[in-house]
Amino acid sequence: MSVQSSIMDRISSIFSFGFGGQKPQQQQPQEITQSQKKSNKASENLSLKEKNQNKNINQANEIRQKSQDLIQIYRDTIQVWNDIKRCEHFHPLMRYESVKKRVHRLIMMFLNIYGNSENNSGVQCCYVQGLDSIAVVLYTQYLNYSKEFYVISMLKQIFTNFLKHFLDKETNNLSFKYPCILIQRLLSYYEPELYLHFKQIEFQHDMYLVCWVMTLFAHSIEIEKVVNIWTELFCERVEFLFYITLGILKQIKDKLLLLDLNSTLGIINNIQGLIDIDNVLLQAKIYMNKTPPSFIQSDFVFDAKRQMQNNAVDMLKQNEYFAQRWWELEYLDYRDDIEVCLVSADEIINVQNPNWKKNKLFIDVREDFSGFYGLHMKGSYYMDGSSEEGDTEFHIYAEFLQLFQETQLETVIVIIGERDQIGHEFAQNIIKETSGQLTQVCVLKGGIDAICLEQPKLMRKGGIKGKSETSKDFITQYERFIKKAKQSKQLQASQKTFN
Amino acid sequence: MGNCNKKGKPSRPSVRDPINIRGDKENKVSYAKVVLIGNSGVGKTSIAQRFIEGKFDENNKNTVGASYFQKNISFKDGSSLCLYIWDTAGGEKFQALAPLYYRVKSKYIINIFQNAHAAVVCYSVTDDDSLKQIDTWLNKLDEHGNIAKMIKVVVGNKSDVDKSERRVDLKEGKLFAQQRDLPFFETSALLNDGSIDELFQKLASQIKQSFTKEELHATV
């Protein structure tokens, strides 16, 4: 009944438009006769004919558009009903046909009001699987207060604030490329062990992320707990979804680290009972406060390739502003080969704050040492960015960084590269070398060029007069540091045992 | 030097499935990747569940994204084949994601499993539109598939329904598959009538026939 009636609603609205569209047709002969009365010139007749033709074409287009809309509504109606039928597991109420119909009607009303491009809210909503589950959860909650109609406005809020970000604006298809890249990067920053493990078993994040995000966890977590998550989520921005995801992964990390690909796929879509939601939310908040905003781009469905093909990019490249800021046009954030977080210079180097250097270690990884010698950031260390796993130098670097972080907890390691060597490979290799023990490694967007441009005062020339500094000298420095660090560690340990 | 990693990460024991992809070379198990595709609501997940777990879950949720199952099939000659079954979302907006699921980028199975060995294209006998859409799904397979030998079968699900609810006759489905030169099955995930076991059994033996052992052995 509800299926048919909501179709009828739409059909009637379209027909009313259709009649409106036919009116001008009836007026056409009148217009012609009036104009003929005024003058009988053939040319004017011609132009009028053209006008009429255009009118007809426009009308035909409108009707075509409307009929396409109608087909879409028909499809949505069927699809929504199809999905609602399969929501029985959510709540005992959902077994009743009448309740299903009510939820179906609410979703169709939501689409009816906000699915139209002419609605006042400015956002065109559409149906995407997952919305059914969200609607059911909302319905069962609002039913307690006899306020089922809130479901409609809540669906609109959820769609515009959360789901919309994962749909391509042009095609309305789901796009999860960037969200997957992002989760991988955040894992490499906070949980490098898990990042390495997933990489080793070649586990792809879209296997669970699509479901978690598009149902706002309703498919994976019990309804009572999902409501708790939503209460927090609705106060935050869409990024909070990723922090919750990270929180969940962190909580089941020990289990995940033991599993191979097949078992991981099995467990990750069945996390019910494995997680403690309150802890996850607490952890998510910690992540949210700790994560620099420049790690996350606001446009999740951005297509760098499409943008590159755009002619305007070539024009922009010639612009002086962008000529200096090459990194802004290379869309590093959307490159899937960069598996570590990217941070912007103005965020990581905040000279307004006198303590900005605290807990930060800057590592220059430019290939050419003479470049570093010529100009580098005050207090930054040089490491040969081209060194790799197996090199003794590389091993020393990893050891140094790991010890540094152990002695000075919470240190953020910022890799400074350059255009040809962004530094992500070095960062990824160093995480691997330390078996995921090194956390909080990120790469500076724009590398040395960004600091030169943003904070030229922080730059200095290398070398102490009379001493020839080479990369080897730096290694001896590290060795000294490591010796000291080890000594202090031993001292700490012995003090502990003494106490 | 080099001591600071002494306390590093303890090597974690890896819990592997009984059917390990990196099995002993002498005891090679063959692996085949099968994708279940078709319109939303035709019963892809139910088919997979009936086959894997031998049950029908009335409370099946709609698939958002993809899910994954695996099962071993034994043949009369004593050999066996492990099927990796990828159950995908049929929803319209998810179809853009579909190419992701056609390739399994696993380290162990990348060489052979870049693409599916077989595709089960499903429709529901209660929904004639889902039958029409099969061509779209077949086109998608051609577009994203890179195994030319990929075996495709057409499956009409929900054969248990009353005649009054049926929209696609058995004959109609058969003809449809015949025209495209594809094997045809009609199944019911609800009834335990063996139709789904038969489907996968036949599919497995055809995979075994069509692909060489090397193509099915997942040794890198």
Side-chain angles (χ1 to χ4, degrees):
Chain A
M1 279 298 287
S2 68
V3 179
Q4 288 169 354
S5 55
S6 51
I7 287 186
M8 286 313 289
D9 288 349
R10 292 294 296 195
I11 289 176
S12 60
S13 74
I14 282 161
F15 273 142
S16 67
F17 184 88
F19 289 137
Q22 280 170 5
K23 274 176 194 167
Q25 262 183 350
Q26 290 165 348
Q27 286 170 353
Q28 284 160 24
Q30 286 177 1
E31 278 173 26
I32 293 168
T33 48
Q34 278 171 4
S35 63
Q36 275 173 341
K37 275 178 193 171
K38 281 178 187 170
S39 71
N40 282 326
K41 281 179 187 172
S43 60
E44 273 190 20
N45 271 342
L46 263 176
S47 68
L48 267 172
K49 265 183 193 171
E50 276 173 11
K51 265 187 196 172
N52 286 332
Q53 270 177 355
N54 285 342
K55 250 186 200 173
N56 287 339
I57 290 169
N58 286 343
Q59 277 170 1
N61 283 341
E62 273 172 13
I63 290 168
R64 195 174 301 138
Q65 182 62 39
K66 284 290 155 184
S67 62
Q68 277 172 0
D69 284 354
L70 193 64
I71 292 170
Q72 189 57 44
I73 293 159
Y74 174 73
R75 273 196 196 147
D76 280 346
T77 313
I78 305 275
Q79 179 72 60
V80 173
W81 183 243
N82 220 335
D83 294 337
I84 290 291
K85 276 195 297 195
R86 293 181 280 173
C87 282
E88 289 185 1
H89 60 99
F90 276 110
H91 201 277
L93 266 180
M94 291 309 293
R95 295 203 187 107
Y96 297 104
E97 199 75 1
S98 58
V99 178
K100 284 183 203 169
K101 279 180 182 167
R102 243 176 277 165
V103 179
H104 180 263
R105 190 165 170 76
L106 285 169
I107 297 179
M108 288 319 293
M109 275 163 84
F110 153 72
L111 290 174
N112 201 346
I113 300 170
Y114 300 110
N116 204 322
S117 52
E118 291 146 19
N119 76 67
N120 295 326
S121 68
V123 176
Q124 188 176 359
C125 300
C126 62
Y127 181 74
V128 52
Q129 278 183 305
L131 214 57
D132 54 309
S133 316
I134 293 172
V136 167
V137 175
L138 290 172
Y139 179 80
T140 55
Q141 296 308 306
Y142 284 118
L143 196 64
N144 297 336
Y145 311 100
S146 311
K147 297 250 173 17
E148 300 97 292
F149 52 88
Y150 278 176
V151 171
I152 298 173
S153 51
M154 279 307 288
L155 280 178
K156 191 241 166 182
Q157 291 297 334
I158 290 174
F159 186 88
T160 45
N161 291 334
F162 299 98
L163 306 186
K164 186 193 78 184
H165 296 276
F166 301 91
L167 291 168
D168 191 303
K169 278 165 215 121
E170 284 173 26
T171 58
N172 259 348
N173 281 330
L174 284 186
S175 173
F176 266 81
K177 199 177 165 207
Y178 178 66
C180 289
I181 294 174
L182 186 62
I183 283 289
Q184 191 182 31
R185 286 183 187 168
L186 289 170
L187 270 184
S188 78
Y189 189 78
Y190 289 116
E191 296 296 337
E193 247 184 303
L194 209 50
Y195 150 76
L196 286 176
H197 174 72
F198 281 164
K199 215 177 147 180
Q200 194 201 348
I201 62 170
E202 303 236 355
F203 174 71
Q204 291 182 344
H205 294 276
D206 39 10
M207 287 310 298
Y208 64 94
L209 202 59
V210 179
C211 180
W212 287 8
V213 166
M214 294 319 282
T215 63
L216 302 184
F217 303 96
H219 268 202
S220 320
I221 296 167
E222 303 93 305
I223 195 163
E224 304 83 24
K225 291 181 180 172
V226 156
V227 177
N228 288 353
I229 294 186
W230 288 9
T231 315
E232 296 278 340
L233 182 66
F234 293 162
C235 304
E236 307 294 346
R237 288 157 60 87
V238 60
E239 292 90 52
F240 199 64
L241 280 170
F242 300 124
Y243 299 130
I244 298 176
T245 305
L246 279 181
I248 294 175
L249 291 177
K250 185 190 163 76
Q251 211 168 75
I252 52 173
K253 176 182 158 189
D254 289 342
K255 291 189 186 71
L256 289 174
L257 283 174
L258 299 173
L259 301 174
D260 66 355
L261 179 68
N262 301 324
S263 320
T264 309
L265 288 168
I267 199 174
I268 205 128
N269 281 318
N270 207 358
I271 50 169
Q272 217 155 350
L274 288 176
I275 50 166
D276 172 10
I277 291 301
D278 295 331
N279 266 337
V280 166
L281 289 173
L282 213 67
Q283 189 61 44
K285 287 228 155 139
I286 295 173
Y287 284 137
M288 187 178 67
N289 294 331
K290 241 169 111 177
T291 309
S294 61
F295 277 11
I296 301 178
Q297 291 299 304
S298 56
D299 188 354
F300 295 162
V301 292
F302 181 84
D303 191 343
K305 267 187 199 162
R306 206 191 293 163
Q307 190 70 24
M308 294 286 218
Q309 283 164 0
N310 195 341
N311 291 331
V313 174
D314 292 330
M315 238 172 66
L316 285 175
K317 272 184 183 165
Q318 288 163 4
N319 180 299
E320 197 187 347
Y321 176 88
F322 285 112
Q324 285 179 329
R325 291 170 175 79
W326 53 267
W327 58 93
E328 289 193 16
L329 278 182
E330 292 196 358
Y331 308 113
L332 301 177
D333 288 287
Y334 298 96
R335 263 172 59 174
D336 57 359
D337 61 326
I338 300 179
E339 293 165 6
V340 283
C341 290
L342 294 163
V343 71
S344 71
D346 51 348
E347 193 171 6
I348 201 83
I349 306 168
N350 179 13
V351 282
Q352 308 286 346
N353 180 354
N355 284 335
W356 72 268
K357 265 189 181 170
K358 206 184 158 196
N359 290 339
K360 277 172 200 144
L361 184 65
F362 290 89
I363 306 292
D364 204 315
V365 296
R366 280 176 289 164
E367 208 162 336
D368 188 10
F369 178 74
S370 60
F372 176 81
Y373 192 74
L375 193 74
H376 61 257
M377 187 187 153
K378 263 184 223 166
S380 65
Y381 287 81
Y382 178 77
M383 289 184 185
D384 183 1
S386 59
S387 60
E388 279 175 348
E389 199 183 340
D391 298 351
T392 35
E393 277 181 19
F394 190 72
H395 186 69
I396 293 170
Y397 296 152
E399 213 171 43
F400 168 76
L401 291 173
Q402 204 180 333
L403 267 175
F404 196 97
Q405 211 168 46
E406 274 174 29
T407 47
Q408 302 192 30
L409 294 169
E410 297 289 306
T411 305
V412 177
I413 294 159
V414 186
I415 308 285
I416 304 171
E418 57 192 331
R419 192 169 188 170
D420 299 331
Q421 188 161 347
I422 297 163
H424 62 285
E425 281 161 351
F426 181 84
Q428 282 153 220
N429 287 338
I430 214 105
I431 292 174
K432 202 176 163 196
E433 181 76 12
T434 59
S435 318
Q437 298 301 307
L438 193 68
T439 58
Q440 312 209 108
V441 183
C442 59
V443 169
L444 184 69
K445 233 180 273 182
I448 195 76
D449 298 329
I451 315 176
C452 284
L453 206 70
E454 303 282 347
Q455 301 294 344
K457 280 184 184 169
L458 290 176
M459 307 308 290
R460 67 157 210 178
K461 273 189 180 177
I464 307 152
K465 267 186 186 174
K467 274 191 178 181
S468 63
E469 274 189 57
T470 60
S471 56
K472 276 185 184 171
D473 290 335
F474 279 84
I475 288 171
T476 44
Q477 272 185 22
Y478 297 148
E479 282 170 3
R480 271 183 222 141
F481 172 84
I482 286 164
K483 265 186 194 168
K484 268 190 188 173
K486 275 179 193 164
Q487 278 169 1
S488 69
K489 252 183 128 183
Q490 275 174 356
L491 204 71
Q492 277 175 3
S494 62
Q495 273 174 351
K496 265 186 192 171
T497 50
F498 184 73
N499 288 338
Chain B
M1 295 304 305
N3 281 348
C4 90
N5 267 356
K6 210 165 57 180
K7 267 175 68 188
K9 184 189 139 191
S11 61
R12 288 179 185 276
S14 174
V15 176
R16 302 221 172 261
D17 286 346
I19 344 153
N20 190 343
I21 305 169
R22 284 174 174 170
D24 294 338
K25 280 193 176 171
E26 288 143 30
N27 264 332
K28 273 183 184 174
V29 189
S30 307
Y31 299 90
K33 184 190 166 194
V34 179
V35 286
L36 275 170
I37 51 176
N39 268 18
S40 169
V42 298
K44 296 180 290 294
T45 310
S46 296
I47 291 178
Q49 249 173 17
R50 163 64 69 193
F51 174 57
I52 307 292
E53 295 163 25
K55 62 170 191 188
F56 179 78
D57 189 355
E58 280 185 26
N59 293 339
N60 242 335
K61 327 172 202 182
N62 56 354
T63 313
V64 177
S67 58
Y68 166 84
F69 307 88
Q70 68 177 55
K71 190 170 174 171
N72 226 355
I73 286 200
S74 348
F75 298 102
K76 280 176 190 164
D77 62 354
S79 63
S80 65
L81 177 69
C82 183
L83 295 184
Y84 288 96
I85 299 167
W86 292 75
D87 174 26
T88 60
E92 193 188 2
K93 302 217 167 40
F94 290 81
Q95 290 178 17
L97 291 176
L100 285 173
Y101 309 129
Y102 294 129
R103 70 189 150 86
V104 177
K105 224 178 146 191
S106 169
K107 194 176 188 174
Y108 315 127
I109 46 184
I110 187 163
N111 288 344
I112 302 129
F113 280 64
Q114 257 178 3
N115 230 308
H117 291 89
V120 180
V121 195
C122 313
Y123 72 89
S124 161
V125 298
T126 61
D127 177 6
D128 41 1
D129 188 48
S130 67
L131 178 71
K132 285 177 203 154
Q133 288 291 319
I134 283 197
D135 278 331
T136 324
W137 287 105
L138 289 173
N139 286 341
K140 268 180 203 289
L141 278 178
D142 289 339
E143 202 178 311
H144 302 293
N146 65 350
I147 294 185
K149 285 194 282 186
M150 189 202 281
I151 296 158
K152 297 164 199 160
V153 293
V154 176
V155 169
N157 194 31
K158 307 190 189 175
S159 65
D160 50 85
V161 292
D162 280 352
K163 269 192 176 175
S164 57
E165 281 184 59
R166 216 183 231 276
R167 297 281 176 277
V168 185
D169 283 337
L170 180 67
K171 271 186 191 169
E172 211 178 319
K174 258 187 189 167
L175 188 72
F176 185 91
Q178 238 171 31
Q179 283 166 349
R180 284 148 191 86
D181 209 11
L182 298 174
F184 172 79
F185 296 87
E186 206 166 76
T187 61
S188 162
L190 177 71
L191 303 177
N192 193 6
D193 59 357
S195 55
I196 284 167
D197 280 338
E198 190 198 332
L199 157 71
F200 282 103
Q201 197 74 39
K202 282 198 176 157
L203 192 67
S205 48
Q206 211 187 336
I207 291 172
K208 211 181 144 206
Q209 276 174 17
S210 311
F211 292 93
T212 62
K213 276 196 168 182
E214 279 65 40
E215 283 169 315
L216 295 171
H217 284 312
T219 40
V220 180

